[in-house]
Amino acid sequence: MTIIQDYDPSFTRDGIGLSIGVFDGVHIGHQSILQRLYDWGQVSQLPTAVLTFEPSPVELLKPNLAPPKLTQSSQKIEILQSFGISEVFILRFNREISNMSATDFISGILADQLRAQHVVIGYDWHFGKNRGGTIATLEKYGKKYGFGVSVVEQRQIDGQSVHSTRIRSAIAEGNLELAKKMLTRPHTLRGRVISGDRRGRHIGFPTANIDAGRQVLPPSGVYATSVTLKNSNSERPTIYESVTNIGIQPTFGRNTSKIEVHILDFNQEIYGKELDVVFREKIRSEMEFPDIQCLAQQIREDIKVARSILKDSCFV
């Protein structure tokens, strides 16, 4: 798959199938769109592409209202790749793009630059300035410029439609099973290991402190997790069992939430490296302990529980 990171007005393609959107989480609804696009490409024998936006429109236009992310940009690209898409175009969303009318977006980008042969979109897609473009707009101008349009209907889980907002709510409320159903995979945080206060090391349980940026977090507590550690480009990632704590560490009198991962049977130096933390199951809520010895004993119990949970987990 080819990734065009700095998509610009001089960029052109000659006949592709295309889908457009933010694709945060690449959930089951998005996956239906990608499958339809892939199928079209197989039949037509033409390349397929996804046009996505960084930052998302809401991050630029209403930053105070921008929700936390389900996936980092790099995660999103990796998931898109798994659906057999030929190319991903990352359009830097700015004020100029935000002020582009729906018709200018179609004529300038879809028709002139990408020369789209077919566009696959979701049932609720809107585009252009003030989200003024609708499916009807796209279909009308598709006839004018010679591209077809496929609309993929909503997907439902437990009788309700799947969308990114619902998944964020499920994760924030601790309903990891529902989030997993809608994502078709466990919720995963991607972040870089940063330096901490090393308290875990001093009590025998060293932790990796994770900077996860603006990603949505489950509620405070202790979780059985698995960690994917990226190696060199030529090697497959290594997966380890782990226990992850999200919270303020009340035993130490802190009031700022942190993400700390204790990787089981592991003693490598990984500061600055990127980890994927895969949430399997919650073990307990955050607790305050009377002393360090009681905390250490509880951590030992947490590790036993995590090992029991994880021994039957599929780390694929």
Side-chain angles (χ1 to χ4, degrees), residues 74-75 78 190 227-233 235-238 273-276:
S74 58
Q75 288 175 285
E78 288 174 10
R190 174 166 293 181
V227 165
T228 301
L229 176 61
K230 294 182 180 298
N231 301 308
S232 66
N233 293 334
E235 298 179 35
R236 294 188 64 183
T238 306
K273 291 197 173 183
E274 192 173 68
L275 297 181
D276 283 352

Side-chain angles (χ1 to χ4, degrees), residues 35-149:
Q35 186 62 54
R36 182 79 65 87
L37 179 61
Y38 175 82
D39 292 344
W40 178 89
Q42 292 297 104
V43 171
S44 66
Q45 292 297 294
L46 287 173
T48 55
V50 166
L51 175 64
T52 189
F53 307 100
E54 290 289 344
S56 68
V58 69
E59 286 179 280
L60 176 77
L61 301 175
K62 299 179 180 179
N64 293 334
L65 300 179
K69 292 185 174 183
L70 291 169
T71 46
Q72 302 279 40
S73 180
S74 58
Q75 288 175 285
K76 181 169 66 176
I77 290 170
E78 288 174 10
I79 300 168
L80 291 173
Q81 185 174 20
S82 71
F83 282 86
I85 304 302
S86 307
E87 298 177 300
V88 174
F89 310 140
I90 302 176
L91 178 62
R92 186 60 52 185
F93 194 81
N94 54 31
R95 292 289 174 182
E96 181 181 357
I97 297 295
S98 72
N99 286 320
M100 184 178 287
S101 69
T103 53
D104 285 347
F105 181 85
I106 293 171
S107 63
I109 293 179
L110 301 189
D112 292 345
Q113 288 182 251
L114 300 180
R115 297 171 189 146
Q117 298 295 303
H118 200 82
V119 179
V120 182
I121 51 161
Y123 68 99
D124 60 349
W125 192 60
H126 290 75
F127 64 105
K129 185 176 181 179
N130 298 325
R131 292 170 52 87
T134 64
I135 292 170
T137 310
L138 190 65
E139 291 174 334
K140 174 183 175 181
Y141 283 89
K143 292 176 182 176
K144 176 179 178 179
Y145 292 109
F147 61 80
V149 177

Side-chain angles (χ1 to χ4, degrees), residues 150-198:
S150 291
V151 180
V152 177
E153 294 304 317
Q154 66 178 343
R155 293 292 302 270
Q156 292 195 337
I157 295 290
D158 297 343
Q160 298 182 47
S161 63
V162 174
H163 46 75
S164 297
T165 300
R166 186 182 174 205
I167 300 171
R168 291 186 195 98
S169 295
I171 294 168
E173 293 165 5
N175 194 340
L176 297 179
E177 276 304 308
L178 177 58
K180 182 179 178 181
K181 287 182 184 179
M182 293 189 284
L183 291 167
T184 71
R185 63 187 182 278
H187 175 53
T188 302
L189 288 178
R190 174 166 293 181
R192 199 160 297 281
V193 180
I194 58 175
S195 60
D197 51 27
R198 295 179 176 263

